Amino acid sequence: MFFFELLGRDPLAYLVAFAAGAFGLVIHNLFQAYLADRYQDSEPRRYGFLTAEPRVHLDGLGLIFLALLGFGFPRLVPWRLFGSKGAQTALMGPAGFFVAAFVYILLGRLLEGIGPATSSIALGMQVAGSLMIGHAAVFLFPVPPLDGARVVYAIGSAEARRFMDQLQSYGFVGFFLVFLVLNLSGVLPAIRAGLSGLLNSLFAAIGL
């Protein structure tokens, strides 16, 4: 089911999922901005990325994609870190999505237990959690401008960085082609399944 189809089935659930998904994009950026700031990089604080102000983090086109496809993207958090610090900062983005997924699905399960009155909100939160798992998987890809590519720029060889530059020069077409190959080859489903399995293990550990 395409995400937008949820609007026809349950409008409230769709709105909840969209709003939670948009906030998940903010969480992604906040996780990166926080660690960059801890590493004494002044760029995120300088440009306001340490605040939860949506206008700082959210991108209009990214929100349109999120509303239609269930996959969006925020504005890039600026930093000047290299080496392991740069890689760790980049990986905090997918970690933020994973944490958001945990919180959303947890809230969805708790609300589901209350009764029919909160069923649409519960469904919306669970859908948002699933969307965040998908975002975490995709953003790990080493494709510009995703977080995986920023890891390569931080710790990769000169050849690897040049390859990232070549991919970036193709713009959206390059991104789409690599995304399509990784998806059809089973890489994306495998990463998503692994993250979902980890999430389920965490819920099992706390008895949910």
Side-chain angles (χ1 to χ4, degrees):
M1 182 190 73
F2 288 106
F3 175 59
F4 190 70
E5 294 178 11
L6 181 62
L7 179 60
R9 291 178 48 211
D10 192 329
L12 179 57
Y14 171 84
L15 291 174
V16 169
F18 173 74
F23 189 66
L25 299 177
V26 175
I27 293 173
H28 165 279
N29 279 8
L30 286 174
F31 269 56
Q32 290 183 334
Y34 172 77
L35 187 59
D37 189 66
R38 288 292 302 270
Y39 283 144
Q40 307 300 315
D41 191 311
S42 62
E43 293 293 290
R45 185 178 295 275
R46 177 185 176 189
Y47 291 102
F49 281 88
L50 285 173
T51 72
E53 173 58 51
R55 289 177 295 182
V56 173
H57 298 278
L58 298 179
D59 177 89
L61 184 60
L63 288 177
I64 292 174
F65 271 68
L66 177 64
L68 296 177
L69 305 177
F71 177 80
F73 47 87
R75 294 178 178 173
L76 287 178
V77 179
W79 68 75
R80 298 179 180 178
L81 299 168
F82 296 96
S84 63
K85 291 182 178 180
Q88 291 169 32
T89 301
L91 290 173
M92 284 295 284
F97 284 136
F98 186 83
V99 170
F102 178 84
V103 173
Y104 291 164
I105 294 175
L106 175 61
L107 289 175
R109 292 185 180 187
L110 294 176
L111 289 170
E112 192 175 39
I114 293 177
T118 58
S119 60
S120 291
I121 299 175
L123 175 60
M125 296 305 295
Q126 290 176 341
V127 169
S130 178
L131 295 181
M132 293 298 95
I133 287 293
H135 278 72
V138 171
F139 271 71
L140 285 170
F141 284 0
V143 183
L146 301 179
D147 297 325
R150 302 187 83 175
V151 171
V152 174
Y153 277 119
I155 62 174
S157 64
E159 292 77 11
R161 291 195 295 271
R162 280 196 294 269
F163 180 67
M164 290 295 104
D165 288 338
Q166 290 176 341
L167 282 179
Q168 193 167 26
S169 69
Y170 292 113
F172 180 77
V173 174
F175 171 82
F176 179 77
L177 289 176
V178 174
F179 174 83
L180 188 63
V181 169
L182 291 174
N183 191 33
L184 294 178
S185 65
V187 175
L188 174 58
I191 296 175
R192 183 186 175 92
L195 293 174
S196 295
L198 177 58
L199 195 62
N200 289 332
S201 297
L202 291 175
F203 283 125
I206 61 176
L208 291 175

